[in-house]
Coordinates of all heavy atoms in Angstrom, one line a residue:
K1 N -98.6 -22.0 167.9 CA -99.2 -23.3 168.3 C -100.7 -23.4 167.9 O -101.4 -22.4 168.0 CB -99.0 -23.6 169.8 CG -97.6 -23.9 170.2 CD -97.6 -24.3 171.7 CE -96.2 -24.6 172.1 NZ -96.1 -25.1 173.5
L2 N -101.1 -24.6 167.5 CA -102.5 -24.9 167.2 C -102.9 -26.1 168.0 O -102.1 -27.0 168.2 CB -102.7 -25.1 165.7 CG -102.4 -24.0 164.8 CD1 -102.4 -24.5 163.3 CD2 -103.5 -22.9 164.9
K3 N -104.2 -26.2 168.3 CA -104.8 -27.4 168.9 C -105.6 -28.1 167.8 O -106.4 -27.5 167.1 CB -105.7 -27.1 170.1 CG -105.0 -26.7 171.3 CD -104.8 -27.9 172.2 CE -104.2 -27.5 173.6 NZ -104.0 -28.7 174.5
I4 N -105.3 -29.4 167.6 CA -106.1 -30.2 166.6 C -106.7 -31.4 167.3 O -106.0 -32.1 168.0 CB -105.3 -30.6 165.4 CG1 -104.1 -31.5 165.8 CG2 -104.8 -29.3 164.7 CD1 -103.4 -32.1 164.6
T5 N -108.0 -31.6 167.0 CA -108.7 -32.8 167.6 C -109.6 -33.4 166.6 O -110.1 -32.7 165.7 CB -109.5 -32.4 168.9 OG1 -110.4 -31.3 168.6 CG2 -108.5 -31.9 170.0
D6 N -110.0 -34.7 166.9 CA -111.0 -35.3 166.0 C -111.8 -36.2 167.0 O -111.3 -36.8 167.9 CB -110.3 -36.2 165.0 CG -111.4 -36.8 164.0 OD1 -111.9 -36.0 163.2 OD2 -111.7 -38.0 164.1
D7 N -113.1 -36.2 166.7 CA -114.0 -36.9 167.7 C -114.2 -38.4 167.5 O -114.7 -39.0 168.4 CB -115.4 -36.2 167.6 CG -116.2 -36.6 166.3 OD1 -115.5 -36.8 165.3 OD2 -117.4 -36.7 166.3
L8 N -113.7 -39.0 166.4 CA -114.0 -40.4 166.2 C -112.9 -41.2 165.6 O -112.2 -41.9 166.2 CB -115.3 -40.6 165.4 CG -115.9 -42.0 165.4 CD1 -116.1 -42.5 166.8 CD2 -117.2 -41.9 164.6
S9 N -112.7 -41.0 164.3 CA -111.7 -41.9 163.6 C -110.3 -41.5 163.8 O -109.4 -42.3 163.6 CB -112.0 -41.9 162.1 OG -111.8 -40.6 161.5
G10 N -110.0 -40.2 164.3 CA -108.6 -39.8 164.6 C -107.9 -39.1 163.5 O -108.3 -39.2 162.3
I11 N -106.9 -38.3 163.8 CA -106.1 -37.6 162.9 C -105.3 -38.5 162.0 O -104.6 -39.4 162.5 CB -105.2 -36.6 163.6 CG1 -106.0 -35.7 164.6 CG2 -104.4 -35.8 162.6 CD1 -106.9 -34.7 163.9
N12 N -105.3 -38.2 160.7 CA -104.5 -39.0 159.8 C -103.4 -38.1 159.2 O -102.2 -38.5 159.3 CB -105.4 -39.5 158.6 CG -104.6 -40.4 157.7 OD1 -103.6 -40.9 158.0 ND2 -105.1 -40.5 156.4
T13 N -103.7 -37.0 158.6 CA -102.6 -36.1 158.1 C -102.9 -34.7 158.4 O -104.0 -34.3 158.7 CB -102.6 -36.3 156.5 OG1 -103.8 -35.8 156.0 CG2 -102.3 -37.7 156.1
Y14 N -101.8 -33.9 158.3 CA -102.0 -32.5 158.4 C -100.9 -31.8 157.5 O -99.9 -32.4 157.2 CB -101.8 -32.0 159.8 CG -100.4 -32.2 160.4 CD1 -99.4 -31.2 160.3 CD2 -100.0 -33.4 161.0 CE1 -98.2 -31.4 160.8 CE2 -98.8 -33.6 161.5 CZ -97.8 -32.6 161.4 OH -96.6 -32.8 162.0
R15 N -101.2 -30.6 157.1 CA -100.3 -29.8 156.2 C -100.4 -28.4 156.5 O -101.5 -27.8 156.6 CB -100.5 -30.1 154.7 CG -99.6 -29.3 153.8 CD -99.9 -29.6 152.3 NE -99.1 -28.8 151.5 CZ -97.9 -29.0 151.1 NH1 -97.3 -30.1 151.5 NH2 -97.2 -28.2 150.3
A16 N -99.3 -27.7 156.7 CA -99.3 -26.2 157.1 C -98.4 -25.4 156.2 O -97.3 -25.9 155.8 CB -98.9 -26.1 158.6
T17 N -98.9 -24.2 155.8 CA -98.1 -23.3 155.0 C -98.2 -21.9 155.5 O -99.2 -21.5 156.1 CB -98.5 -23.4 153.5 OG1 -99.9 -22.9 153.4 CG2 -98.4 -24.7 152.9
I18 N -97.1 -21.1 155.3 CA -97.2 -19.7 155.5 C -96.8 -19.1 154.2 O -95.8 -19.3 153.5 CB -96.2 -19.3 156.6 CG1 -96.6 -19.8 157.9 CG2 -96.0 -17.7 156.6 CD1 -95.6 -19.4 159.1
N19 N -97.8 -18.2 153.7 CA -97.6 -17.6 152.4 C -97.4 -18.6 151.3 O -96.7 -18.4 150.3 CB -96.5 -16.6 152.4 CG -96.6 -15.5 153.5 OD1 -97.8 -15.2 153.9 ND2 -95.5 -14.9 153.9
G20 N -98.1 -19.7 151.4 CA -98.0 -20.8 150.4 C -96.8 -21.7 150.5 O -96.6 -22.7 149.8
K21 N -95.9 -21.4 151.5 CA -94.6 -22.2 151.6 C -94.8 -23.2 152.8 O -95.2 -22.8 153.9 CB -93.4 -21.3 151.9 CG -92.1 -22.0 151.9 CD -90.9 -21.1 152.1 CE -89.6 -21.8 152.2 NZ -89.3 -22.5 150.9
W22 N -94.5 -24.5 152.5 CA -94.7 -25.5 153.5 C -93.8 -25.2 154.8 O -92.6 -24.8 154.6 CB -94.3 -26.9 153.0 CG -94.5 -28.0 153.9 CD1 -95.7 -28.7 154.1 CD2 -93.6 -28.6 154.9 NE1 -95.5 -29.7 155.1 CE2 -94.3 -29.6 155.5 CE3 -92.3 -28.3 155.2 CZ2 -93.6 -30.4 156.5 CZ3 -91.6 -29.1 156.2 CH2 -92.3 -30.1 156.8
I23 N -94.4 -25.4 156.0 CA -93.6 -25.2 157.2 C -93.7 -26.5 158.0 O -94.6 -27.2 157.9 CB -94.2 -24.0 158.0 CG1 -95.7 -24.2 158.4 CG2 -94.0 -22.7 157.3 CD1 -96.2 -23.2 159.4
L24 N -92.7 -26.7 158.8 CA -92.5 -27.8 159.7 C -93.3 -27.6 161.0 O -92.9 -26.7 161.8 CB -91.1 -28.1 160.0 CG -90.8 -29.2 161.0 CD1 -91.3 -30.6 160.4 CD2 -89.3 -29.3 161.3
M25 N -94.4 -28.3 161.2 CA -95.1 -28.2 162.4 C -95.0 -29.6 163.1 O -95.3 -30.6 162.5 CB -96.6 -27.8 162.2 CG -96.8 -26.5 161.6 SD -98.4 -25.8 162.0 CE -98.2 -25.1 163.6
E26 N -94.5 -29.6 164.4 CA -94.3 -30.8 165.1 C -95.7 -31.2 165.8 O -96.3 -30.4 166.5 CB -93.2 -30.6 166.2 CG -91.9 -30.3 165.6 CD -90.8 -30.5 166.6 OE1 -91.0 -30.9 167.7 OE2 -89.6 -30.2 166.2
Y27 N -96.1 -32.4 165.6 CA -97.3 -32.9 166.1 C -97.1 -33.7 167.4 O -96.3 -34.6 167.5 CB -98.0 -33.8 165.1 CG -99.3 -34.4 165.5 CD1 -100.2 -33.7 166.3 CD2 -99.7 -35.7 165.1 CE1 -101.4 -34.3 166.7 CE2 -100.9 -36.3 165.5 CZ -101.8 -35.6 166.3 OH -103.0 -36.1 166.7
E28 N -97.8 -33.3 168.5 CA -97.7 -33.9 169.8 C -99.1 -34.4 170.1 O -99.9 -33.7 170.6 CB -97.2 -33.0 170.8 CG -97.1 -33.6 172.2 CD -96.4 -35.0 172.3 OE1 -95.2 -35.1 172.2 OE2 -97.2 -36.0 172.3
P29 N -99.4 -35.7 169.9 CA -100.7 -36.3 170.1 C -101.1 -36.2 171.6 O -102.3 -36.2 171.9 CB -100.6 -37.7 169.7 CG -99.4 -37.8 168.8 CD -98.5 -36.7 169.3
K30 N -100.2 -36.3 172.5 CA -100.5 -36.3 174.0 C -101.3 -35.0 174.4 O -102.1 -35.1 175.3 CB -99.3 -36.5 174.8 CG -98.7 -37.9 174.8 CD -97.7 -38.1 175.9 CE -96.4 -37.4 175.6 NZ -95.7 -37.9 174.4
N31 N -100.9 -33.9 173.8 CA -101.7 -32.7 174.1 C -102.3 -32.0 172.9 O -102.8 -30.9 172.9 CB -100.8 -31.6 174.8 CG -99.5 -31.3 174.0 OD1 -99.5 -31.5 172.8 ND2 -98.5 -30.9 174.7
N32 N -102.4 -32.8 171.8 CA -103.1 -32.4 170.6 C -102.6 -31.1 170.0 O -103.4 -30.3 169.5 CB -104.6 -32.3 170.9 CG -105.2 -33.6 171.4 OD1 -105.0 -34.6 170.8 ND2 -105.9 -33.5 172.5
T33 N -101.3 -30.9 170.0 CA -100.8 -29.6 169.5 C -99.9 -29.8 168.2 O -99.3 -30.8 168.0 CB -99.9 -29.0 170.5 OG1 -98.8 -29.8 170.9 CG2 -100.7 -28.6 171.8
L34 N -100.0 -28.8 167.4 CA -99.1 -28.6 166.3 C -98.3 -27.3 166.6 O -98.8 -26.3 167.0 CB -99.8 -28.3 165.0 CG -100.6 -29.5 164.3 CD1 -101.3 -29.0 163.1 CD2 -99.6 -30.6 164.0
T35 N -96.9 -27.4 166.5 CA -96.1 -26.3 166.9 C -95.1 -26.0 165.8 O -94.4 -26.9 165.3 CB -95.3 -26.7 168.2 OG1 -96.2 -27.0 169.2 CG2 -94.4 -25.5 168.7
Y36 N -95.0 -24.7 165.5 CA -94.1 -24.2 164.5 C -93.0 -23.3 165.2 O -93.4 -22.4 166.0 CB -94.8 -23.5 163.4 CG -93.8 -22.7 162.5 CD1 -92.9 -23.4 161.6 CD2 -93.8 -21.3 162.5 CE1 -92.1 -22.7 160.8 CE2 -92.9 -20.6 161.6 CZ -92.0 -21.3 160.8 OH -91.2 -20.7 160.0
N37 N -91.8 -23.6 164.9 CA -90.7 -22.7 165.4 C -90.3 -21.7 164.4 O -89.9 -21.9 163.3 CB -89.4 -23.6 165.7 CG -88.3 -22.9 166.4 OD1 -88.2 -21.7 166.3 ND2 -87.5 -23.7 167.1
F38 N -90.5 -20.4 164.8 CA -90.2 -19.3 163.9 C -88.8 -19.2 163.4 O -88.5 -18.5 162.4 CB -90.6 -18.0 164.5 CG -92.1 -17.6 164.5 CD1 -92.9 -17.6 165.6 CD2 -92.7 -17.4 163.2 CE1 -94.2 -17.3 165.5 CE2 -94.1 -17.1 163.1 CZ -94.8 -17.1 164.3
N39 N -87.9 -19.9 164.1 CA -86.5 -19.9 163.6 C -86.2 -20.8 162.4 O -85.2 -20.7 161.8 CB -85.6 -20.3 164.8 CG -85.5 -19.3 165.9 OD1 -85.5 -18.1 165.6 ND2 -85.3 -19.7 167.1
D40 N -87.2 -21.6 162.1 CA -87.0 -22.5 161.0 C -86.9 -21.8 159.6 O -86.0 -22.2 158.8 CB -88.3 -23.5 160.9 CG -88.1 -24.7 161.7 OD1 -87.0 -24.9 162.3 OD2 -89.0 -25.5 161.7
L41 N -87.7 -20.8 159.3 CA -87.7 -20.1 158.1 C -87.6 -18.6 158.3 O -88.2 -18.1 159.3 CB -88.9 -20.5 157.2 CG -89.0 -22.0 156.7 CD1 -90.3 -22.2 156.0 CD2 -87.8 -22.3 155.8
R42 N -87.1 -17.9 157.3 CA -87.0 -16.5 157.4 C -88.1 -15.9 156.4 O -88.1 -16.2 155.2 CB -85.6 -15.9 157.0 CG -84.5 -16.4 157.9 CD -84.6 -15.7 159.3 NE -83.6 -16.1 160.1 CZ -83.5 -15.7 161.4 NH1 -84.4 -14.9 161.9 NH2 -82.4 -16.1 162.1
F43 N -89.0 -15.1 157.0 CA -90.0 -14.4 156.2 C -89.8 -12.9 156.3 O -89.3 -12.4 157.3 CB -91.4 -14.7 156.6 CG -91.8 -16.2 156.4 CD1 -91.7 -17.1 157.4 CD2 -92.3 -16.6 155.2 CE1 -92.1 -18.4 157.2 CE2 -92.7 -17.9 155.0 CZ -92.6 -18.8 156.0
E44 N -90.1 -12.2 155.2 CA -90.0 -10.7 155.3 C -91.0 -10.2 156.3 O -92.0 -10.8 156.6 CB -90.3 -10.2 153.9 CG -89.3 -10.5 152.8 CD -89.7 -9.9 151.5 OE1 -90.7 -9.1 151.4 OE2 -88.9 -10.1 150.5

């Protein structure tokens, strides 16, 4: 989990990768979190 905030104009986009591979992070504006489920992808 990550916390993301912006002080004025607000969040527009986000992009997350692990080892250069795009991962699905769910954005919840009510608590300003990005959450990644480790079950989504298999990494060595």
Side-chain angles (χ1 to χ4, degrees):
K1 290 188 177 183
L2 297 166
K3 285 267 188 179
I4 61 171
T5 57
D6 188 73
D7 71 328
L8 191 54
S9 64
I11 304 295
N12 184 22
T13 63
Y14 66 92
R15 178 179 175 83
T17 61
I18 293 179
N19 303 335
K21 185 176 180 62
W22 185 87
I23 59 170
L24 173 64
M25 297 202 83
E26 298 194 3
Y27 179 35
E28 179 47 79
K30 288 193 288 293
N31 55 24
N32 301 311
T33 57
L34 290 178
T35 303
Y36 169 66
N37 187 333
F38 277 114
N39 290 327
D40 270 359
L41 293 175
R42 297 292 181 183
F43 291 97
E44 293 182 1

